[in-house]
Amino acid sequence: MASLGKFGALRTKFAGLVDFVTIYIAEAHPAERKHFIDNYAIDTHASMEERIEAAETLKEEAGEFLSGSPILVDHMDDKANLAYASLPERLYVLQDGVITFEGGLGPVLYSIEEVEDFLSKNV
């Protein structure tokens, strides 16, 4: 959630040129593991309904930063997460169904600036 402001600025800068989509996957820091104090109280999802509820929490908390960027929810088999090796977070650019940019695995190698640089040169 810390990078939402930067993501929102990127989305605004390239609005009308590219489509932004967020895919909500398995919870990276479930509450029962107590990784963070004062974090969102979202446990490991036991059902699709719980995962959808967590995605709705993201949508509410992110507010305008994700406005115009649909949030899709990965199935409980984690097919999207496994296909894109995205846990806990990762940025991709797809052009005509082909991956043209694969960002580093977050949070350490997650770089919105790299995506911005790529889009500036390729859109």
Side-chain angles (χ1 to χ4, degrees), residues 1-15 18-23 58 62-71 89-92 110-113 115-116 119:
M1 296 282 283
S3 299
L4 280 174
K6 290 180 181 180
F7 183 83
L10 179 72
R11 186 190 51 73
T12 300
K13 180 176 181 176
F14 290 97
V18 299
D19 297 318
F20 290 87
V21 176
T22 298
I23 301 175
L58 170 64
E64 288 299 311
F65 297 127
L66 290 181
S67 178
S69 175
I71 299 174
E89 59 189 349
R90 183 169 262 175
L91 298 166
Y92 282 90
Y110 179 92
S111 175
I112 291 174
E113 292 82 4
V115 175
E116 181 175 12
L119 291 175

PDB file of all heavy atoms in Angstrom, residues 1-15 18-23 58 62-71 89-92 110-113 115-116 119:
ATOM      1  N   MET A   1       0.820  -1.190   0.000  1.00  0.00           N
ATOM      2  CA  MET A   1       0.000   0.000   0.000  1.00  0.00           C
ATOM      3  C   MET A   1       0.874   1.268   0.000  1.00  0.00           C
ATOM      4  O   MET A   1       0.409   2.318  -0.359  1.00  0.00           O
ATOM      5  CB  MET A   1      -0.913   0.017   1.226  1.00  0.00           C
ATOM      6  CG  MET A   1      -1.940  -1.101   1.287  1.00  0.00           C
ATOM      7  SD  MET A   1      -3.378  -0.891   0.261  1.00  0.00           S
ATOM      8  CE  MET A   1      -4.339   0.266   1.169  1.00  0.00           C
ATOM      9  N   ALA A   2       2.140   1.114   0.361  1.00  0.00           N
ATOM     10  CA  ALA A   2       3.009   2.279   0.466  1.00  0.00           C
ATOM     11  C   ALA A   2       3.278   2.931  -0.884  1.00  0.00           C
ATOM     12  O   ALA A   2       3.551   4.119  -0.951  1.00  0.00           O
ATOM     13  CB  ALA A   2       4.323   1.879   1.122  1.00  0.00           C
ATOM     14  N   SER A   3       3.198   2.180  -1.962  1.00  0.00           N
ATOM     15  CA  SER A   3       3.514   2.711  -3.292  1.00  0.00           C
ATOM     16  C   SER A   3       2.283   3.189  -4.053  1.00  0.00           C
ATOM     17  O   SER A   3       2.401   3.553  -5.226  1.00  0.00           O
ATOM     18  CB  SER A   3       4.217   1.635  -4.117  1.00  0.00           C
ATOM     19  OG  SER A   3       5.421   1.255  -3.513  1.00  0.00           O
ATOM     20  N   LEU A   4       1.139   3.208  -3.410  1.00  0.00           N
ATOM     21  CA  LEU A   4      -0.089   3.564  -4.133  1.00  0.00           C
ATOM     22  C   LEU A   4      -0.068   4.974  -4.696  1.00  0.00           C
ATOM     23  O   LEU A   4      -0.581   5.211  -5.784  1.00  0.00           O
ATOM     24  CB  LEU A   4      -1.314   3.380  -3.235  1.00  0.00           C
ATOM     25  CG  LEU A   4      -1.794   1.946  -3.107  1.00  0.00           C
ATOM     26  CD1 LEU A   4      -2.908   1.859  -2.074  1.00  0.00           C
ATOM     27  CD2 LEU A   4      -2.248   1.394  -4.438  1.00  0.00           C
ATOM     28  N   GLY A   5       0.519   5.914  -3.994  1.00  0.00           N
ATOM     29  CA  GLY A   5       0.594   7.286  -4.497  1.00  0.00           C
ATOM     30  C   GLY A   5       1.384   7.358  -5.798  1.00  0.00           C
ATOM     31  O   GLY A   5       0.968   7.997  -6.758  1.00  0.00           O
ATOM     32  N   LYS A   6       2.521   6.673  -5.834  1.00  0.00           N
ATOM     33  CA  LYS A   6       3.336   6.634  -7.056  1.00  0.00           C
ATOM     34  C   LYS A   6       2.593   5.921  -8.177  1.00  0.00           C
ATOM     35  O   LYS A   6       2.647   6.330  -9.340  1.00  0.00           O
ATOM     36  CB  LYS A   6       4.667   5.934  -6.791  1.00  0.00           C
ATOM     37  CG  LYS A   6       5.618   6.711  -5.925  1.00  0.00           C
ATOM     38  CD  LYS A   6       6.907   5.924  -5.736  1.00  0.00           C
ATOM     39  CE  LYS A   6       7.875   6.655  -4.846  1.00  0.00           C
ATOM     40  NZ  LYS A   6       9.119   5.895  -4.668  1.00  0.00           N
ATOM     41  N   PHE A   7       1.910   4.821  -7.835  1.00  0.00           N
ATOM     42  CA  PHE A   7       1.149   4.085  -8.847  1.00  0.00           C
ATOM     43  C   PHE A   7       0.033   4.966  -9.400  1.00  0.00           C
ATOM     44  O   PHE A   7      -0.202   4.998 -10.609  1.00  0.00           O
ATOM     45  CB  PHE A   7       0.574   2.791  -8.261  1.00  0.00           C
ATOM     46  CG  PHE A   7      -0.146   1.952  -9.269  1.00  0.00           C
ATOM     47  CD1 PHE A   7       0.559   1.092 -10.106  1.00  0.00           C
ATOM     48  CD2 PHE A   7      -1.522   2.016  -9.397  1.00  0.00           C
ATOM     49  CE1 PHE A   7      -0.089   0.318 -11.047  1.00  0.00           C
ATOM     50  CE2 PHE A   7      -2.181   1.248 -10.331  1.00  0.00           C
ATOM     51  CZ  PHE A   7      -1.474   0.397 -11.155  1.00  0.00           C
ATOM     52  N   GLY A   8      -0.650   5.680  -8.523  1.00  0.00           N
ATOM     53  CA  GLY A   8      -1.716   6.578  -8.959  1.00  0.00           C
ATOM     54  C   GLY A   8      -1.195   7.664  -9.890  1.00  0.00           C
ATOM     55  O   GLY A   8      -1.838   8.000 -10.895  1.00  0.00           O
ATOM     56  N   ALA A   9      -0.029   8.218  -9.598  1.00  0.00           N
ATOM     57  CA  ALA A   9       0.571   9.241 -10.462  1.00  0.00           C
ATOM     58  C   ALA A   9       0.944   8.652 -11.819  1.00  0.00           C
ATOM     59  O   ALA A   9       0.733   9.289 -12.860  1.00  0.00           O
ATOM     60  CB  ALA A   9       1.801   9.842  -9.783  1.00  0.00           C
ATOM     61  N   LEU A  10       1.462   7.445 -11.823  1.00  0.00           N
ATOM     62  CA  LEU A  10       1.807   6.766 -13.077  1.00  0.00           C
ATOM     63  C   LEU A  10       0.555   6.524 -13.913  1.00  0.00           C
ATOM     64  O   LEU A  10       0.530   6.782 -15.116  1.00  0.00           O
ATOM     65  CB  LEU A  10       2.509   5.437 -12.776  1.00  0.00           C
ATOM     66  CG  LEU A  10       2.923   4.598 -13.977  1.00  0.00           C
ATOM     67  CD1 LEU A  10       4.106   5.249 -14.690  1.00  0.00           C
ATOM     68  CD2 LEU A  10       3.297   3.191 -13.530  1.00  0.00           C
ATOM     69  N   ARG A  11      -0.497   6.053 -13.259  1.00  0.00           N
ATOM     70  CA  ARG A  11      -1.763   5.791 -13.940  1.00  0.00           C
ATOM     71  C   ARG A  11      -2.313   7.072 -14.549  1.00  0.00           C
ATOM     72  O   ARG A  11      -2.755   7.093 -15.695  1.00  0.00           O
ATOM     73  CB  ARG A  11      -2.772   5.176 -12.964  1.00  0.00           C
ATOM     74  CG  ARG A  11      -4.068   4.748 -13.604  1.00  0.00           C
ATOM     75  CD  ARG A  11      -5.093   4.388 -12.549  1.00  0.00           C
ATOM     76  NE  ARG A  11      -5.273   5.389 -11.525  1.00  0.00           N
ATOM     77  CZ  ARG A  11      -5.895   6.546 -11.700  1.00  0.00           C
ATOM     78  NH1 ARG A  11      -6.415   6.860 -12.859  1.00  0.00           N
ATOM     79  NH2 ARG A  11      -6.013   7.396 -10.712  1.00  0.00           N
ATOM     80  N   THR A  12      -2.239   8.158 -13.817  1.00  0.00           N
ATOM     81  CA  THR A  12      -2.719   9.450 -14.310  1.00  0.00           C
ATOM     82  C   THR A  12      -1.885   9.918 -15.506  1.00  0.00           C
ATOM     83  O   THR A  12      -2.423  10.381 -16.507  1.00  0.00           O
ATOM     84  CB  THR A  12      -2.683  10.504 -13.188  1.00  0.00           C
ATOM     85  OG1 THR A  12      -3.531  10.066 -12.120  1.00  0.00           O
ATOM     86  CG2 THR A  12      -3.140  11.858 -13.686  1.00  0.00           C
ATOM     87  N   LYS A  13      -0.571   9.793 -15.401  1.00  0.00           N
ATOM     88  CA  LYS A  13       0.330  10.247 -16.468  1.00  0.00           C
ATOM     89  C   LYS A  13       0.067   9.517 -17.793  1.00  0.00           C
ATOM     90  O   LYS A  13       0.120  10.121 -18.862  1.00  0.00           O
ATOM     91  CB  LYS A  13       1.785  10.042 -16.047  1.00  0.00           C
ATOM     92  CG  LYS A  13       2.796  10.489 -17.087  1.00  0.00           C
ATOM     93  CD  LYS A  13       4.216  10.351 -16.574  1.00  0.00           C
ATOM     94  CE  LYS A  13       5.221  10.828 -17.617  1.00  0.00           C
ATOM     95  NZ  LYS A  13       6.592  10.787 -17.106  1.00  0.00           N
ATOM     96  N   PHE A  14      -0.233   8.237 -17.734  1.00  0.00           N
ATOM     97  CA  PHE A  14      -0.402   7.446 -18.952  1.00  0.00           C
ATOM     98  C   PHE A  14      -1.857   7.100 -19.251  1.00  0.00           C
ATOM     99  O   PHE A  14      -2.130   6.261 -20.108  1.00  0.00           O
ATOM    100  CB  PHE A  14       0.454   6.178 -18.869  1.00  0.00           C
ATOM    101  CG  PHE A  14       1.931   6.469 -18.950  1.00  0.00           C
ATOM    102  CD1 PHE A  14       2.690   6.563 -17.797  1.00  0.00           C
ATOM    103  CD2 PHE A  14       2.551   6.687 -20.168  1.00  0.00           C
ATOM    104  CE1 PHE A  14       4.045   6.849 -17.856  1.00  0.00           C
ATOM    105  CE2 PHE A  14       3.905   6.975 -20.248  1.00  0.00           C
ATOM    106  CZ  PHE A  14       4.651   7.056 -19.086  1.00  0.00           C
ATOM    107  N   ALA A  15      -2.790   7.768 -18.573  1.00  0.00           N
ATOM    108  CA  ALA A  15      -4.220   7.533 -18.821  1.00  0.00           C
ATOM    109  C   ALA A  15      -4.532   7.795 -20.283  1.00  0.00           C
ATOM    110  O   ALA A  15      -4.050   8.749 -20.884  1.00  0.00           O
ATOM    111  CB  ALA A  15      -5.063   8.435 -17.923  1.00  0.00           C
ATOM    112  N   VAL A  18      -2.453   3.700 -21.960  1.00  0.00           N
ATOM    113  CA  VAL A  18      -2.348   2.303 -21.526  1.00  0.00           C
ATOM    114  C   VAL A  18      -3.467   2.003 -20.532  1.00  0.00           C
ATOM    115  O   VAL A  18      -4.048   2.913 -19.939  1.00  0.00           O
ATOM    116  CB  VAL A  18      -0.976   1.999 -20.870  1.00  0.00           C
ATOM    117  CG1 VAL A  18       0.160   2.225 -21.841  1.00  0.00           C
ATOM    118  CG2 VAL A  18      -0.758   2.811 -19.618  1.00  0.00           C
ATOM    119  N   ASP A  19      -3.766   0.732 -20.371  1.00  0.00           N
ATOM    120  CA  ASP A  19      -4.746   0.288 -19.390  1.00  0.00           C
ATOM    121  C   ASP A  19      -4.004  -0.275 -18.184  1.00  0.00           C
ATOM    122  O   ASP A  19      -3.020  -0.997 -18.338  1.00  0.00           O
ATOM    123  CB  ASP A  19      -5.652  -0.803 -19.974  1.00  0.00           C
ATOM    124  CG  ASP A  19      -6.469  -0.307 -21.142  1.00  0.00           C
ATOM    125  OD1 ASP A  19      -6.980   0.823 -21.061  1.00  0.00           O
ATOM    126  OD2 ASP A  19      -6.604  -1.052 -22.133  1.00  0.00           O
ATOM    127  N   PHE A  20      -4.459   0.062 -17.001  1.00  0.00           N
ATOM    128  CA  PHE A  20      -3.875  -0.449 -15.770  1.00  0.00           C
ATOM    129  C   PHE A  20      -4.857  -1.407 -15.128  1.00  0.00           C
ATOM    130  O   PHE A  20      -6.045  -1.105 -15.027  1.00  0.00           O
ATOM    131  CB  PHE A  20      -3.572   0.697 -14.795  1.00  0.00           C
ATOM    132  CG  PHE A  20      -2.431   1.566 -15.238  1.00  0.00           C
ATOM    133  CD1 PHE A  20      -2.641   2.643 -16.084  1.00  0.00           C
ATOM    134  CD2 PHE A  20      -1.139   1.299 -14.813  1.00  0.00           C
ATOM    135  CE1 PHE A  20      -1.596   3.445 -16.497  1.00  0.00           C
ATOM    136  CE2 PHE A  20      -0.078   2.092 -15.223  1.00  0.00           C
ATOM    137  CZ  PHE A  20      -0.303   3.169 -16.067  1.00  0.00           C
ATOM    138  N   VAL A  21      -4.359  -2.543 -14.690  1.00  0.00           N
ATOM    139  CA  VAL A  21      -5.178  -3.556 -14.023  1.00  0.00           C
ATOM    140  C   VAL A  21      -4.415  -4.026 -12.792  1.00  0.00           C
ATOM    141  O   VAL A  21      -3.198  -4.238 -12.853  1.00  0.00           O
ATOM    142  CB  VAL A  21      -5.453  -4.759 -14.950  1.00  0.00           C
ATOM    143  CG1 VAL A  21      -6.210  -5.849 -14.223  1.00  0.00           C
ATOM    144  CG2 VAL A  21      -6.213  -4.319 -16.190  1.00  0.00           C
ATOM    145  N   THR A  22      -5.106  -4.186 -11.695  1.00  0.00           N
ATOM    146  CA  THR A  22      -4.526  -4.751 -10.483  1.00  0.00           C
ATOM    147  C   THR A  22      -5.106  -6.144 -10.303  1.00  0.00           C
ATOM    148  O   THR A  22      -6.319  -6.328 -10.426  1.00  0.00           O
ATOM    149  CB  THR A  22      -4.869  -3.877  -9.263  1.00  0.00           C
ATOM    150  OG1 THR A  22      -4.299  -2.583  -9.457  1.00  0.00           O
ATOM    151  CG2 THR A  22      -4.337  -4.482  -7.974  1.00  0.00           C
ATOM    152  N   ILE A  23      -4.253  -7.104 -10.025  1.00  0.00           N
ATOM    153  CA  ILE A  23      -4.730  -8.464  -9.745  1.00  0.00           C
ATOM    154  C   ILE A  23      -4.459  -8.747  -8.274  1.00  0.00           C
ATOM    155  O   ILE A  23      -3.296  -8.757  -7.839  1.00  0.00           O
ATOM    156  CB  ILE A  23      -4.048  -9.514 -10.637  1.00  0.00           C
ATOM    157  CG1 ILE A  23      -4.302  -9.188 -12.109  1.00  0.00           C
ATOM    158  CG2 ILE A  23      -4.554 -10.920 -10.280  1.00  0.00           C
ATOM    159  CD1 ILE A  23      -3.581 -10.093 -13.081  1.00  0.00           C
ATOM    160  N   LEU A  58      -8.960  -3.391  -0.337  1.00  0.00           N
ATOM    161  CA  LEU A  58      -7.918  -2.686  -1.091  1.00  0.00           C
ATOM    162  C   LEU A  58      -8.524  -1.549  -1.899  1.00  0.00           C
ATOM    163  O   LEU A  58      -8.025  -0.429  -1.880  1.00  0.00           O
ATOM    164  CB  LEU A  58      -7.184  -3.652  -2.021  1.00  0.00           C
ATOM    165  CG  LEU A  58      -6.242  -2.996  -3.044  1.00  0.00           C
ATOM    166  CD1 LEU A  58      -5.097  -2.264  -2.351  1.00  0.00           C
ATOM    167  CD2 LEU A  58      -5.715  -4.029  -4.026  1.00  0.00           C
ATOM    168  N   ALA A  62      -7.448   2.203  -1.161  1.00  0.00           N
ATOM    169  CA  ALA A  62      -6.634   2.829  -2.216  1.00  0.00           C
ATOM    170  C   ALA A  62      -7.315   4.056  -2.790  1.00  0.00           C
ATOM    171  O   ALA A  62      -6.649   4.971  -3.265  1.00  0.00           O
ATOM    172  CB  ALA A  62      -6.349   1.825  -3.318  1.00  0.00           C
ATOM    173  N   GLY A  63      -8.635   4.077  -2.763  1.00  0.00           N
ATOM    174  CA  GLY A  63      -9.391   5.236  -3.234  1.00  0.00           C
ATOM    175  C   GLY A  63      -9.016   5.662  -4.630  1.00  0.00           C
ATOM    176  O   GLY A  63      -8.987   4.872  -5.560  1.00  0.00           O
ATOM    177  N   GLU A  64      -8.704   6.931  -4.777  1.00  0.00           N
ATOM    178  CA  GLU A  64      -8.417   7.526  -6.087  1.00  0.00           C
ATOM    179  C   GLU A  64      -7.156   6.969  -6.742  1.00  0.00           C
ATOM    180  O   GLU A  64      -7.009   7.041  -7.953  1.00  0.00           O
ATOM    181  CB  GLU A  64      -8.300   9.046  -5.960  1.00  0.00           C
ATOM    182  CG  GLU A  64      -9.630   9.725  -5.730  1.00  0.00           C
ATOM    183  CD  GLU A  64     -10.604   9.482  -6.881  1.00  0.00           C
ATOM    184  OE1 GLU A  64     -10.215   9.668  -8.049  1.00  0.00           O
ATOM    185  OE2 GLU A  64     -11.741   9.081  -6.603  1.00  0.00           O
ATOM    186  N   PHE A  65      -6.239   6.401  -5.953  1.00  0.00           N
ATOM    187  CA  PHE A  65      -5.000   5.892  -6.539  1.00  0.00           C
ATOM    188  C   PHE A  65      -5.258   4.769  -7.537  1.00  0.00           C
ATOM    189  O   PHE A  65      -4.500   4.592  -8.487  1.00  0.00           O
ATOM    190  CB  PHE A  65      -4.030   5.408  -5.452  1.00  0.00           C
ATOM    191  CG  PHE A  65      -3.584   6.498  -4.527  1.00  0.00           C
ATOM    192  CD1 PHE A  65      -3.709   6.347  -3.162  1.00  0.00           C
ATOM    193  CD2 PHE A  65      -3.030   7.679  -5.016  1.00  0.00           C
ATOM    194  CE1 PHE A  65      -3.282   7.342  -2.291  1.00  0.00           C
ATOM    195  CE2 PHE A  65      -2.613   8.686  -4.161  1.00  0.00           C
ATOM    196  CZ  PHE A  65      -2.742   8.513  -2.791  1.00  0.00           C
ATOM    197  N   LEU A  66      -6.311   3.999  -7.309  1.00  0.00           N
ATOM    198  CA  LEU A  66      -6.648   2.900  -8.222  1.00  0.00           C
ATOM    199  C   LEU A  66      -7.886   3.204  -9.060  1.00  0.00           C
ATOM    200  O   LEU A  66      -8.368   2.334  -9.769  1.00  0.00           O
ATOM    201  CB  LEU A  66      -6.851   1.596  -7.450  1.00  0.00           C
ATOM    202  CG  LEU A  66      -5.613   0.969  -6.831  1.00  0.00           C
ATOM    203  CD1 LEU A  66      -5.960  -0.324  -6.110  1.00  0.00           C
ATOM    204  CD2 LEU A  66      -4.529   0.729  -7.858  1.00  0.00           C
ATOM    205  N   SER A  67      -8.372   4.423  -9.000  1.00  0.00           N
ATOM    206  CA  SER A  67      -9.535   4.809  -9.789  1.00  0.00           C
ATOM    207  C   SER A  67      -9.251   4.571 -11.271  1.00  0.00           C
ATOM    208  O   SER A  67      -8.198   4.951 -11.781  1.00  0.00           O
ATOM    209  CB  SER A  67      -9.866   6.278  -9.544  1.00  0.00           C
ATOM    210  OG  SER A  67     -10.958   6.662 -10.324  1.00  0.00           O
ATOM    211  N   GLY A  68     -10.174   3.920 -11.952  1.00  0.00           N
ATOM    212  CA  GLY A  68      -9.999   3.634 -13.373  1.00  0.00           C
ATOM    213  C   GLY A  68      -9.126   2.423 -13.636  1.00  0.00           C
ATOM    214  O   GLY A  68      -8.846   2.094 -14.783  1.00  0.00           O
ATOM    215  N   SER A  69      -8.692   1.760 -12.595  1.00  0.00           N
ATOM    216  CA  SER A  69      -7.877   0.551 -12.715  1.00  0.00           C
ATOM    217  C   SER A  69      -8.651  -0.597 -12.087  1.00  0.00           C
ATOM    218  O   SER A  69      -8.712  -0.709 -10.862  1.00  0.00           O
ATOM    219  CB  SER A  69      -6.542   0.743 -11.982  1.00  0.00           C
ATOM    220  OG  SER A  69      -5.787  -0.436 -11.992  1.00  0.00           O
ATOM    221  N   PRO A  70      -9.265  -1.435 -12.903  1.00  0.00           N
ATOM    222  CA  PRO A  70     -10.054  -2.520 -12.315  1.00  0.00           C
ATOM    223  C   PRO A  70      -9.196  -3.443 -11.455  1.00  0.00           C
ATOM    224  O   PRO A  70      -7.999  -3.622 -11.718  1.00  0.00           O
ATOM    225  CB  PRO A  70     -10.608  -3.261 -13.527  1.00  0.00           C
ATOM    226  CG  PRO A  70      -9.820  -2.817 -14.689  1.00  0.00           C
ATOM    227  CD  PRO A  70      -9.218  -1.497 -14.349  1.00  0.00           C
ATOM    228  N   ILE A  71      -9.813  -3.997 -10.429  1.00  0.00           N
ATOM    229  CA  ILE A  71      -9.142  -4.970  -9.579  1.00  0.00           C
ATOM    230  C   ILE A  71      -9.726  -6.330  -9.895  1.00  0.00           C
ATOM    231  O   ILE A  71     -10.916  -6.570  -9.676  1.00  0.00           O
ATOM    232  CB  ILE A  71      -9.318  -4.640  -8.082  1.00  0.00           C
ATOM    233  CG1 ILE A  71      -8.711  -3.272  -7.777  1.00  0.00           C
ATOM    234  CG2 ILE A  71      -8.670  -5.723  -7.220  1.00  0.00           C
ATOM    235  CD1 ILE A  71      -8.952  -2.791  -6.356  1.00  0.00           C
ATOM    236  N   GLU A  89       4.354  -8.819  -4.639  1.00  0.00           N
ATOM    237  CA  GLU A  89       3.890  -7.837  -5.623  1.00  0.00           C
ATOM    238  C   GLU A  89       4.896  -7.737  -6.760  1.00  0.00           C
ATOM    239  O   GLU A  89       6.098  -7.927  -6.568  1.00  0.00           O
ATOM    240  CB  GLU A  89       3.670  -6.461  -4.993  1.00  0.00           C
ATOM    241  CG  GLU A  89       4.914  -5.884  -4.336  1.00  0.00           C
ATOM    242  CD  GLU A  89       4.640  -4.631  -3.532  1.00  0.00           C
ATOM    243  OE1 GLU A  89       3.539  -4.065  -3.628  1.00  0.00           O
ATOM    244  OE2 GLU A  89       5.550  -4.211  -2.802  1.00  0.00           O
ATOM    245  N   ARG A  90       4.382  -7.438  -7.954  1.00  0.00           N
ATOM    246  CA  ARG A  90       5.256  -7.317  -9.118  1.00  0.00           C
ATOM    247  C   ARG A  90       4.514  -6.521 -10.181  1.00  0.00           C
ATOM    248  O   ARG A  90       3.299  -6.576 -10.280  1.00  0.00           O
ATOM    249  CB  ARG A  90       5.611  -8.703  -9.643  1.00  0.00           C
ATOM    250  CG  ARG A  90       6.574  -8.662 -10.818  1.00  0.00           C
ATOM    251  CD  ARG A  90       7.098 -10.030 -11.142  1.00  0.00           C
ATOM    252  NE  ARG A  90       8.413 -10.153 -10.510  1.00  0.00           N
ATOM    253  CZ  ARG A  90       9.131 -11.256 -10.510  1.00  0.00           C
ATOM    254  NH1 ARG A  90       8.685 -12.336 -11.077  1.00  0.00           N
ATOM    255  NH2 ARG A  90      10.307 -11.280  -9.942  1.00  0.00           N
ATOM    256  N   LEU A  91       5.271  -5.776 -10.978  1.00  0.00           N
ATOM    257  CA  LEU A  91       4.707  -4.975 -12.059  1.00  0.00           C
ATOM    258  C   LEU A  91       5.071  -5.583 -13.407  1.00  0.00           C
ATOM    259  O   LEU A  91       6.221  -5.985 -13.615  1.00  0.00           O
ATOM    260  CB  LEU A  91       5.238  -3.536 -11.993  1.00  0.00           C
ATOM    261  CG  LEU A  91       4.877  -2.765 -10.728  1.00  0.00           C
ATOM    262  CD1 LEU A  91       5.733  -1.513 -10.613  1.00  0.00           C
ATOM    263  CD2 LEU A  91       3.407  -2.409 -10.735  1.00  0.00           C
ATOM    264  N   TYR A  92       4.094  -5.639 -14.301  1.00  0.00           N
ATOM    265  CA  TYR A  92       4.301  -6.142 -15.654  1.00  0.00           C
ATOM    266  C   TYR A  92       3.723  -5.151 -16.647  1.00  0.00           C
ATOM    267  O   TYR A  92       2.762  -4.445 -16.350  1.00  0.00           O
ATOM    268  CB  TYR A  92       3.563  -7.472 -15.865  1.00  0.00           C
ATOM    269  CG  TYR A  92       4.251  -8.659 -15.277  1.00  0.00           C
ATOM    270  CD1 TYR A  92       3.997  -9.068 -13.979  1.00  0.00           C
ATOM    271  CD2 TYR A  92       5.152  -9.403 -16.034  1.00  0.00           C
ATOM    272  CE1 TYR A  92       4.627 -10.176 -13.440  1.00  0.00           C
ATOM    273  CE2 TYR A  92       5.775 -10.509 -15.512  1.00  0.00           C
ATOM    274  CZ  TYR A  92       5.512 -10.895 -14.216  1.00  0.00           C
ATOM    275  OH  TYR A  92       6.137 -11.990 -13.683  1.00  0.00           O
ATOM    276  N   TYR A 110      10.622  -3.801  -6.387  1.00  0.00           N
ATOM    277  CA  TYR A 110       9.408  -3.227  -6.974  1.00  0.00           C
ATOM    278  C   TYR A 110       9.705  -1.767  -7.302  1.00  0.00           C
ATOM    279  O   TYR A 110       9.996  -0.976  -6.417  1.00  0.00           O
ATOM    280  CB  TYR A 110       8.294  -3.335  -5.936  1.00  0.00           C
ATOM    281  CG  TYR A 110       6.956  -2.789  -6.320  1.00  0.00           C
ATOM    282  CD1 TYR A 110       6.006  -3.609  -6.903  1.00  0.00           C
ATOM    283  CD2 TYR A 110       6.614  -1.475  -6.053  1.00  0.00           C
ATOM    284  CE1 TYR A 110       4.744  -3.139  -7.220  1.00  0.00           C
ATOM    285  CE2 TYR A 110       5.360  -0.987  -6.371  1.00  0.00           C
ATOM    286  CZ  TYR A 110       4.430  -1.827  -6.947  1.00  0.00           C
ATOM    287  OH  TYR A 110       3.184  -1.355  -7.256  1.00  0.00           O
ATOM    288  N   SER A 111       9.665  -1.411  -8.593  1.00  0.00           N
ATOM    289  CA  SER A 111      10.048  -0.053  -8.974  1.00  0.00           C
ATOM    290  C   SER A 111       9.060   0.544  -9.979  1.00  0.00           C
ATOM    291  O   SER A 111       9.085   0.205 -11.164  1.00  0.00           O
ATOM    292  CB  SER A 111      11.457  -0.044  -9.571  1.00  0.00           C
ATOM    293  OG  SER A 111      11.770   1.247 -10.043  1.00  0.00           O
ATOM    294  N   ILE A 112       8.245   1.434  -9.496  1.00  0.00           N
ATOM    295  CA  ILE A 112       7.310   2.142 -10.371  1.00  0.00           C
ATOM    296  C   ILE A 112       8.096   3.046 -11.315  1.00  0.00           C
ATOM    297  O   ILE A 112       7.697   3.241 -12.464  1.00  0.00           O
ATOM    298  CB  ILE A 112       6.280   2.915  -9.528  1.00  0.00           C
ATOM    299  CG1 ILE A 112       5.369   1.895  -8.843  1.00  0.00           C
ATOM    300  CG2 ILE A 112       5.482   3.884 -10.384  1.00  0.00           C
ATOM    301  CD1 ILE A 112       4.392   2.450  -7.868  1.00  0.00           C
ATOM    302  N   GLU A 113       9.221   3.550 -10.852  1.00  0.00           N
ATOM    303  CA  GLU A 113      10.060   4.401 -11.706  1.00  0.00           C
ATOM    304  C   GLU A 113      10.542   3.646 -12.945  1.00  0.00           C
ATOM    305  O   GLU A 113      10.615   4.206 -14.039  1.00  0.00           O
ATOM    306  CB  GLU A 113      11.249   4.946 -10.913  1.00  0.00           C
ATOM    307  CG  GLU A 113      10.866   5.927  -9.833  1.00  0.00           C
ATOM    308  CD  GLU A 113      10.400   5.268  -8.521  1.00  0.00           C
ATOM    309  OE1 GLU A 113      10.444   4.007  -8.396  1.00  0.00           O
ATOM    310  OE2 GLU A 113       9.961   6.009  -7.629  1.00  0.00           O
ATOM    311  N   VAL A 115       8.965   1.197 -14.455  1.00  0.00           N
ATOM    312  CA  VAL A 115       7.808   1.072 -15.348  1.00  0.00           C
ATOM    313  C   VAL A 115       7.578   2.400 -16.069  1.00  0.00           C
ATOM    314  O   VAL A 115       7.334   2.422 -17.279  1.00  0.00           O
ATOM    315  CB  VAL A 115       6.536   0.652 -14.577  1.00  0.00           C
ATOM    316  CG1 VAL A 115       5.327   0.643 -15.491  1.00  0.00           C
ATOM    317  CG2 VAL A 115       6.731  -0.709 -13.941  1.00  0.00           C
ATOM    318  N   GLU A 116       7.665   3.494 -15.338  1.00  0.00           N
ATOM    319  CA  GLU A 116       7.483   4.811 -15.950  1.00  0.00           C
ATOM    320  C   GLU A 116       8.518   5.050 -17.050  1.00  0.00           C
ATOM    321  O   GLU A 116       8.185   5.527 -18.144  1.00  0.00           O
ATOM    322  CB  GLU A 116       7.571   5.907 -14.898  1.00  0.00           C
ATOM    323  CG  GLU A 116       7.357   7.291 -15.472  1.00  0.00           C
ATOM    324  CD  GLU A 116       7.321   8.378 -14.406  1.00  0.00           C
ATOM    325  OE1 GLU A 116       7.694   8.100 -13.246  1.00  0.00           O
ATOM    326  OE2 GLU A 116       6.920   9.494 -14.749  1.00  0.00           O
ATOM    327  N   LEU A 119       7.579   2.824 -20.049  1.00  0.00           N
ATOM    328  CA  LEU A 119       6.414   3.345 -20.775  1.00  0.00           C
ATOM    329  C   LEU A 119       6.772   4.623 -21.546  1.00  0.00           C
ATOM    330  O   LEU A 119       6.315   4.827 -22.674  1.00  0.00           O
ATOM    331  CB  LEU A 119       5.255   3.601 -19.814  1.00  0.00           C
ATOM    332  CG  LEU A 119       4.602   2.353 -19.217  1.00  0.00           C
ATOM    333  CD1 LEU A 119       3.553   2.752 -18.184  1.00  0.00           C
ATOM    334  CD2 LEU A 119       3.996   1.471 -20.290  1.00  0.00           C
TER     335      LEU A 119
END
